[in-house]
Amino acid sequence: MKYRFTLRLWAILLMAAGYGWAGGHFIPGDAPVWAYAFQFCMLLVLFLLATGFLKAAAGIVTAAPRVRRNMVGLTIFSVLTLLINIANIVRGAGQGMHYGSKNSFADIVPIALIIVGDIMWLSMSRAPS
């Protein structure tokens, strides 16, 4: 149980670090407001779901449907962000784009953090709580 919780916690932290890093790195100063809004929304959804999960783990929330909802939400978030970031790498293969990954080392690091976090979460979502 502690091992699974620790891996889930690492997964959440890696996803948050990756999105924070990507938001500061991928978005140029002259970016439109929607680019910042997208990064903010991704982090907000992650923080809301992670807070619910951590409250359940700490025993603050014990209602089974609420616990399950946050875990399912984080699993859906992980699948979507995994697909988004794989697409970002594929898109980055076609150089010359102003936004997103250009597949340089500096671009791949935050994407790798997110992908590793996604894979860790998804691997633990198959395991019992």
Side-chain angles (χ1 to χ4, degrees):
M1 173 80 172
K2 287 183 183 182
Y3 172 73
R4 290 186 182 125
F5 176 76
T6 302
L7 286 180
R8 286 177 175 151
L9 185 56
W10 271 88
I12 290 168
L13 292 172
L14 284 169
M15 287 186 276
Y19 268 103
W21 192 334
H25 181 71
F26 288 165
I27 303 174
D30 62 344
V33 174
W34 64 263
Y36 290 99
F38 175 77
Q39 290 298 107
F40 176 77
C41 287
M42 294 303 288
L43 279 169
L44 180 64
V45 169
L46 178 60
F47 286 170
L48 291 174
L49 292 170
T51 301
F53 169 74
L54 293 172
K55 283 170 41 176
I60 297 170
V61 176
T62 57
R66 291 185 71 187
V67 173
R68 182 87 177 124
R69 178 178 59 213
N70 288 303
M71 291 191 65
V72 168
L74 282 165
T75 301
I76 292 168
F77 182 87
S78 294
V79 168
L80 290 175
T81 59
L82 181 63
L83 295 174
I84 287 168
N85 284 289
I86 290 171
N88 201 5
I89 291 171
V90 170
R91 183 173 180 250
Q95 296 293 323
M97 291 171 226
H98 191 56
Y99 300 107
S101 176
K102 292 160 186 65
N103 289 354
S104 67
F105 180 75
D107 288 346
I108 293 296
V109 170
I111 290 174
L113 290 174
I114 298 167
I115 288 175
V116 168
D118 291 335
I119 291 169
M120 285 176 70
W121 181 269
L122 292 172
S123 69
M124 288 295 103
S125 68
R126 304 276 302 154
S129 301

